[in-house]
Amino acid sequence: MITPFNIVILAAGRGARMKSDLPKVLQPLGGRPMLAHLLEAVRKIEPLQICVVYGYGGDQVRQVLAAEDVTWVLQAEQRGTGHAVMQALPHLASSGVTLILYGDVPLVTQDTMRNLTALAVQDCVALLTANPDDPTGYGRIVRNDAGAVTRIVEENDADTATRAINEINTGLMALPTQRLADWLGRLRNDNSQGEYYLTDIIAMAVADGVAIQTSQPAHTSETAGVNDKIQLAGLERQLQHDIARNLMAQGVTVLDPSRLDVRGSLQCGRDVSIDVGCVFEGDVVLGDNVQVGAYCVLTDANIGAGSRIAPFSHLAGATVGQNNRIGPYARLRPGTELAAEVHIGNFVEIKNSHVDTGSKINHLSYVGDSTVGKQVNIGAGTITCNYDGVNKHRTVIEDDVFIGSDTQLIAPVTVGKGATIGAGSTITRNVSGGMLTLSRSAQTTVSGWQRPNNKIKE
Ligand code: UD1
Ligand code: CA
């Protein structure tokens, strides 16, 4: 039988080193609050319960993560990591083990968490340690001549010799809950920061004859703590690098894995290619053979097989069918639905509109609140005037319509099947199908007119 285990996540700290009004655990990593990453990983190992100790910016933390099914424990005053765990204690099942995680160490993997809890089940303290290139800022693991851990010394309380130790406390530990309760009750705060350090329980465990087992994570990045914006950026790159690697392993061509940003979920079919500098947010799906050109931003977008998004295009809340040609410099806003073989060219903005198969809107146009039929050609500079200052109105353009350049369609208006509209028209009434309609003042020529040729003296 698997021993039931609790998880306590410490997330009450202010994160003063972030120099930000946003609580540290809400700082974004891959487009989501740091704490949301940790909660997702933690759920997968199916603990008995998850306690989140929160404090600084509490209302904000609770609000942002309101949908999370966890036990929220308030630590009104931040008096140290040991004090934080004490607040959670009354909520923990007293048998079994407790795994303690830090909200600012967000990329820990399921394997690492499972290993620690499995060790602790044998009535010992399981500690996750690492040997980073630079141990500055971390608690150091002190071992005796036999190599056994004797205590953890915080950076601020360490002498020069201790600071030279390279093995650090990642902050993650698992231990029998009953013992944890006993040791927490005996913690003192007589240290350089006047705080109750959770790390002091290690020396207590040693004194009580309880073994300290250490394990190391597969990758040190898993346990990188985030205390300031520099570390946050470092971890963001690490996360993005991992995402890029996964995509490439699935067969996606990522032209430069160091210039890709996925801030949500990105699902790709076969033979997808992503050029440099692209940002994907929310839920994005790219079908087979989709090519995304350089510097595109795609937010909650679904791109059908064989479509090409040329550079500098911005798509949000858009559905693009198969074999479309989009951009460069196209903007597809929420509610855009393009069927197959549609061409949207440069400086074209589309919003809340459906464009049917084979239609082309290639240059400098605005199409909003519209229904565009099949094989329609919308000339350069055409605008649907959908807003009268109070209400939005729809424009309907039926199949096989040809709209000349620089046309304004004053909605609500319908252009019938097969109609042709002459360039430069302002269309205020419905247009009959199959005919030429234009509204254009007659061209005149003024004979005898002379271009001024002398500059007027002032
Ligand atoms: C802590 C460890 C250190 C370890 C490092 C790993 C202690 C005393 N030190 O140091 O050994 O090397 O993490 O990253 O444990 N928190 C609360 N309430 C508090 C204080 C902190 O919830 O009263 C939370 C913070 O929000 C944070 C975590 O505990 O998520 C760690 O606190 P932090 O102040 O960042 O500790 P470090 O100095 O990094
Ligand atoms: Ca920290």
Side-chain angles (χ1 to χ4, degrees):
M1 200 195 88
I2 302 167
T3 315
F5 65 100
N6 305 287
I7 285 185
V8 177
I9 298 177
L10 304 189
R14 179 154 76 100
R17 287 166 279 181
M18 284 287 172
K19 300 194 167 74
S20 165
D21 291 336
L22 192 66
K24 178 154 74 172
V25 291
L26 295 185
Q27 297 283 336
L29 190 65
R32 285 193 300 159
M34 233 191 271
L35 187 55
H37 284 268
L38 194 55
L39 288 172
E40 187 187 304
V42 150
R43 278 188 206 296
K44 291 188 183 138
I45 60 169
E46 299 180 348
L48 201 60
Q49 70 158 330
I50 303 168
C51 274
V52 179
V53 182
Y54 73 105
Y56 181 81
D59 292 343
Q60 232 178 320
V61 175
R62 294 278 310 251
Q63 205 181 344
V64 171
L65 299 165
E68 299 281 354
D69 174 25
V70 300
T71 305
W72 293 100
V73 179
L74 180 67
Q75 184 193 23
E77 243 186 293
Q78 281 72 65
R79 297 168 65 191
T81 47
H83 181 259
V85 181
M86 279 181 220
Q87 312 310 303
L89 209 52
H91 303 273
L92 305 179
S94 56
S95 65
V97 306
T98 295
L99 171 65
I100 298 169
L101 306 171
Y102 287 1
D104 65 347
V105 183
L107 294 186
V108 52
T109 63
Q110 296 169 52
D111 281 351
T112 298
M113 293 190 279
R114 282 206 185 92
N115 287 345
L116 280 183
T117 42
L119 284 174
V121 167
Q122 300 153 22
D123 195 29
C124 69
V125 176
L127 202 60
L128 191 73
T129 73
N131 289 76
D133 295 336
D134 179 8
T136 311
Y138 290 99
R140 306 299 203 282
I141 306 292
V142 179
R143 292 178 184 266
N144 63 18
D145 292 343
V149 175
T150 56
R151 60 200 177 107
I152 297 176
V153 181
E154 290 306 306
E155 166 108 4
N156 287 333
D157 303 287
D159 56 22
T160 318
T162 311
R163 283 188 189 195
I165 296 172
N166 190 248
E167 189 182 12
I168 60 105
N169 171 33
T170 64
L172 277 73
M173 66 171 86
L175 66 176
T177 309
Q178 259 167 1
R179 293 198 185 273
L180 172 67
D182 172 31
W183 294 327
L184 285 176
R186 287 151 52 191
L187 274 186
R188 296 168 34 168
N189 63 350
D190 49 356
N191 50 49
S192 67
Q193 308 198 70
E195 288 189 352
Y196 295 92
Y197 293 162
L198 175 65
T199 44
D200 285 348
I201 68 173
I202 299 301
M204 293 182 185
V206 173
D208 285 353
V210 176
I212 314 289
Q213 298 259 27
T214 57
S215 75
Q216 299 231 326
H219 304 285
T220 45
S221 63
E222 251 193 77
T223 53
V226 181
N227 296 311
D228 57 29
K229 293 280 171 91
I230 298 160
Q231 288 172 327
L232 183 65
L235 208 61
E236 177 74 32
R237 261 317 97 207
Q238 180 63 49
L239 176 70
Q240 294 301 340
H241 188 255
D242 292 348
I243 292 170
R245 274 190 72 92
N246 280 338
L247 288 170
M248 293 185 291
Q250 289 163 33
V252 176
T253 300
V254 176
L255 274 96
D256 181 355
S258 67
R259 284 184 286 170
L260 172 75
D261 287 270
V262 180
R263 301 177 192 148
S265 90
L266 174 60
Q267 254 176 275
C268 295
R270 282 181 85 78
D271 294 306
V272 165
S273 162
I274 301 170
D275 209 334
V276 300
C278 291
V279 178
F280 298 91
E281 299 170 320
D283 294 325
V284 176
V285 179
L286 306 178
D288 294 347
N289 294 301
V290 165
Q291 292 181 14
V292 183
Y295 303 105
C296 288
V297 179
L298 275 68
T299 306
D300 295 316
N302 196 315
I303 313 298
S307 286
R308 271 195 244 155
I309 317 290
F312 301 104
S313 294
H314 188 276
L315 282 67
T319 303
V320 173
Q322 300 196 352
N323 301 317
N324 279 217
R325 298 287 169 268
I326 309 294
Y329 299 102
R331 180 166 184 216
L332 304 185
R333 292 171 53 202
T336 296
E337 287 174 17
L338 310 180
E341 321 272 342
V342 171
H343 290 193
I344 304 296
N346 41 223
F347 305 107
V348 172
E349 174 180 345
I350 303 195
K351 184 214 76 171
N352 191 28
S353 294
H354 183 272
V355 180
D356 215 334
T357 308
S359 290
K360 296 185 173 73
I361 311 169
N362 273 331
H363 327 271
L364 301 151
S365 289
Y366 172 61
V367 173
D369 302 306
S370 300
T371 305
V372 178
K374 296 184 175 65
Q375 307 295 337
V376 169
N377 195 311
I378 295 185
T382 296
I383 290 171
T384 56
C385 308
N386 58 330
Y387 187 50
D388 60 13
V390 182
N391 295 301
K392 302 268 170 72
H393 302 281
R394 285 203 78 79
T395 299
V396 176
I397 300 169
E398 295 180 352
D399 295 349
D400 299 313
V401 164
F402 181 97
I403 296 185
S405 298
D406 194 23
T407 293
Q408 302 99 53
L409 298 155
I410 317 282
V413 72
T414 296
V415 181
K417 189 173 184 321
T420 299
I421 293 180
S425 295
T426 301
I427 301 298
T428 52
R429 282 175 283 128
N430 288 350
V431 170
S432 314
M435 287 183 251
L436 170 67
T437 299
L438 71 168
S439 77
R440 197 191 280 167
S441 45
Q443 183 169 330
T444 55
T445 299
V446 180
S447 58
W449 179 82
Q450 273 204 330
R451 196 186 279 182
N453 47 18
N454 289 330
K455 228 184 173 171
I456 297 167
K457 293 199 177 82
E458 283 168 23

